């Protein structure tokens, strides 16, 4: 993406952002309102930028036909995803597989595999309305991966998951990132540390930091134990450094 600008009425959510992502698991960090969800929504083709260019899998998202081609290769889990509570898990994930135009012959096996990968094989024929919040979140992950996407976009995917489920999810992320481009927006820096190969920190619609979890942790290596772990301190250090640089630049 180049010069990506997103506005919500009078608010600029993303301000001329230039970014590129390749295969692997990429963590998006930043405070509330930083622009993470706006970025994910543009990449998911559910929102259009005010300005800028986005190319995904060789397709220009400004062109209707090319957006359609991208959607077949895309997996997306928004913060609040819609579902039909009267559907079973199998029916709902199969419905999403149909929307993504999976071949009918192979769709049932793809559905069962996706559900099994999120640990819900024993609940595949349960009504979605009977599931816990954490289970529903896992259904959301299953529908996002049912087409073995080449690009997977996840907005706060571990919300509602218990610690054991989060550990299992991180392992799944690492597996998916071996062949796909996975972009995870999260507030949980420990998820980034455990699962991501790269990290991008967004602050007030601009890129504040890019690196790896290791380089981010190195920024916080000199802090005190009472200040949290190294990657949390590195996050704070990078954020404060960006804010300071922004203020300095504005006063020149």
């Amino acid at each position: 993406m180049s010069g990506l600008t997103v506005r919500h009425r009078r608010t600029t959510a993303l301000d001329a952002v230039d970014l590129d992502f390749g295969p692997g698991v990429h963590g998006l960090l930043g405070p509330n309102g930083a622009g993470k969800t706006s970025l994910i929504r543009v990449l998911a083709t559910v929102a259009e930028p005010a300005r800028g260019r986005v190319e995904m899998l060789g397709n220009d998202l400004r062109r209707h036909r090319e957006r359609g081609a991208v959607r077949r290769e895309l997996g997306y889990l928004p913060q609040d995803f819609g579902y039909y509570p009267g559907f079973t898990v199998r029916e709902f994930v199969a419905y999403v597989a149909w929307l993504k135009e999976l071949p009918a012959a192979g769709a049932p096996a793809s559905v069962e595999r996706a559900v099994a990968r999120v640990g819900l094989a024993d609940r595949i024929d349960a009504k979605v309305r009977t599931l816990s919040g954490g289970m529903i979140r896992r259904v959301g992950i299953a529908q996002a991966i049912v087409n073995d996407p080449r690009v997977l976009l996840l907005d706060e995917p571990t919300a509602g998951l218990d610690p054991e489920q989060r550990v299992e999810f991180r392992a799944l992320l690492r597996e998916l990132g071996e062949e796909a481009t996975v972009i995870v927006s999260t507030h949980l820096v420990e998820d980034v540390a455990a699962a991501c190969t790269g990290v991008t920190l967004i602050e007030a619609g601009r890129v504040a930091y890019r690196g790896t979890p290791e380089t981010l942790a190195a920024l916080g290596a000199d802090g005190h134990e009472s200040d949290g772990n190294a990657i949390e301190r590195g996050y704070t250090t990078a954020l404060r450094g960006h804010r300071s640089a922004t203020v300095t630049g504005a006063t020149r």
Side-chain angles (χ1 to χ4, degrees):
M1 63 200 79
S2 58
L4 180 62
T5 300
V6 176
R7 293 195 179 95
H8 303 307
R9 296 184 178 178
R10 297 182 179 180
T11 302
T12 299
L14 292 172
D15 187 5
V17 168
D18 300 326
L19 280 174
D20 62 276
F21 297 100
V25 185
H26 305 273
L28 283 182
L29 290 173
N32 287 332
K36 303 186 301 297
T37 293
S38 294
L39 176 58
I40 292 284
R41 284 175 54 82
V42 168
L43 296 180
T45 75
V46 297
E48 293 188 7
R51 286 199 311 269
R53 183 172 184 272
V54 181
E55 183 179 294
M56 188 183 299
L57 303 175
N59 296 280
D60 187 338
L61 295 191
R62 293 174 296 186
R63 298 170 180 164
H64 178 75
R65 181 173 295 180
E66 295 186 39
R67 284 200 303 271
V70 164
R71 285 170 180 158
R72 287 188 286 272
E73 303 286 349
L74 191 66
Y76 174 44
L77 174 65
Q79 279 185 302
D80 299 304
F81 82 99
Y83 59 89
Y84 295 99
F87 278 23
T88 66
V89 173
R90 186 194 304 272
E91 289 168 342
F92 177 70
V93 180
Y95 171 65
V96 175
W98 174 76
L99 291 176
K100 294 182 178 183
E101 301 180 5
L102 266 67
S110 295
V111 169
E112 292 187 2
R113 180 168 178 263
V115 173
R117 293 178 89 179
V118 300
L120 288 176
D122 61 335
R123 303 302 300 273
I124 193 168
D125 290 313
K127 299 284 189 181
V128 177
R129 64 169 174 255
T130 68
L131 304 180
S132 68
M135 288 181 179
I136 291 174
R137 199 65 181 163
R138 284 189 277 163
V139 173
I141 298 167
Q143 63 82 27
I145 65 174
V146 68
N147 59 327
D148 291 320
R150 294 172 62 190
V151 177
L152 178 60
L153 307 168
L154 303 170
D155 198 353
E156 299 292 346
T158 57
L161 301 187
D162 63 36
E164 181 180 9
Q165 292 165 355
R166 283 172 54 198
V167 169
E168 294 170 350
F169 174 70
R170 292 168 187 166
L172 175 59
L173 276 186
R174 291 191 292 269
E175 178 187 331
L176 294 167
E178 292 178 2
E179 296 184 355
T181 298
V182 183
I183 302 175
V184 185
S185 173
T186 181
H187 287 92
L188 302 174
V189 293
E190 58 267 36
D191 285 345
V192 171
C196 295
T197 53
V199 56
T200 299
L201 173 57
I202 297 178
E203 158 73 352
R206 296 181 178 179
V207 177
Y209 176 86
R210 291 207 84 188
T212 65
E214 292 76 18
T215 58
L216 186 60
L219 290 179
D222 296 330
H224 301 290
E225 289 186 6
S226 60
D227 297 329
N229 61 41
I231 195 166
E232 289 175 337
R233 293 193 300 270
Y235 167 87
T236 301
T237 299
L239 200 59
R240 289 174 177 170
H242 174 73
R243 288 170 178 168
S244 178
T246 300
V247 171
T248 300
T251 56
R252 285 178 180 173

